[in-house]
Amino acid sequence: MSNGTRHALGVVAGLLLPPLAAAGLWYGIGELSLQLAQTLRLSFIALGVLVATGILLALLIGSRLSPVASLLGGLAFVAVGALPFVELTTGARLLPSGLLPNPMRSGFQTLSYSGLHLVLGVALLVASVFPSRWRGRHRPEYPAQVGYEGAWEPAQSPAQSPAQSMAQSPYLPPQPPHQGPEDATRPMYRE
């Protein structure tokens, strides 16, 4: 896959996955905390949503698509995570908690005021900083292999035939190269 394709897919993933991950976190944490507070029971749906959200975040952080995905997601989470601190310093109401249904609103407020949005955003940004993620995979260049004989040419020395280079193994003692028909009559090893 070319670098242009990787980065284009990274932009698409960076625009789609972070909102899904945020909604999953808000719902999962909100539903889990509300169920525990009201009925002292675990919500397995909320746990399943949190597991799926963890998988989405892992795809953003460790994906081979492109670091653009984690960069865009990190910027979005840092922006949402900075809102409570801006609210505290300016006194303005910036968090839109009235737009969300009850479990999501509870999870949103829990994540926002605890600083976990900021932590996730910084983790995603740091994951996109590594230079090795911006480069594509290195594909080794192989010589053109015309036929069976051509496949062995890079490994053989000029004095060896393909049969001799195949016969030499790292597990067997090295055999002297044959130089002509007169060598066939001499013993291979001295006594």
Side-chain angles (χ1 to χ4, degrees):
M1 175 181 326
S2 70
N3 273 345
T5 306
R6 279 182 56 240
H7 293 312
L9 290 174
V11 168
V12 171
L15 293 175
L16 293 178
L17 294 182
L20 289 174
L25 283 172
W26 299 342
Y27 176 79
I29 289 177
E31 180 68 22
L32 192 63
S33 63
L34 287 176
Q35 287 293 323
L36 283 174
Q38 292 173 354
T39 63
L40 292 175
R41 289 187 179 157
L42 285 176
S43 171
F44 291 106
I45 294 173
L47 287 175
V49 168
L50 286 175
V51 167
T53 303
I55 292 170
L56 281 178
L57 288 172
L59 287 174
L60 279 173
I61 289 175
S63 141
R64 276 299 297 166
L65 282 178
S66 173
V68 174
S70 60
L71 180 70
L72 292 175
L75 291 173
F77 273 107
V78 165
V80 171
L83 288 178
F85 301 110
V86 173
E87 265 188 6
L88 290 173
T89 56
T90 62
R93 186 82 175 136
L94 298 174
L95 293 174
S97 60
L99 301 174
L100 300 172
N102 192 20
M104 290 183 79
R105 180 174 51 241
S106 173
F108 177 74
Q109 290 174 343
T110 300
L111 285 173
S112 294
Y113 291 115
S114 66
L116 286 176
H117 278 135
L118 194 59
V119 169
L120 287 171
V122 169
L124 287 169
L125 287 176
V126 168
S128 64
V129 169
F130 297 109
S132 63
R133 287 197 63 199
W134 289 95
R135 283 177 267 154
R137 267 192 194 168
H138 174 69
R139 293 186 181 161
E141 295 292 325
Y142 294 107
Q145 296 179 357
V146 177
Y148 184 77
E149 301 292 320
W152 295 100
E153 286 182 39
Q156 72 184 12
S157 67
Q160 292 179 333
S161 69
Q164 288 174 336
S165 64
M166 287 190 311
Q168 289 183 353
S169 168
Y171 304 108
L172 299 175
Q175 297 180 7
H178 295 287
Q179 296 180 358
E182 66 275 356
D183 287 338
T185 58
R186 285 193 294 172
M188 291 185 73
Y189 298 103
R190 295 183 190 181
E191 297 177 6

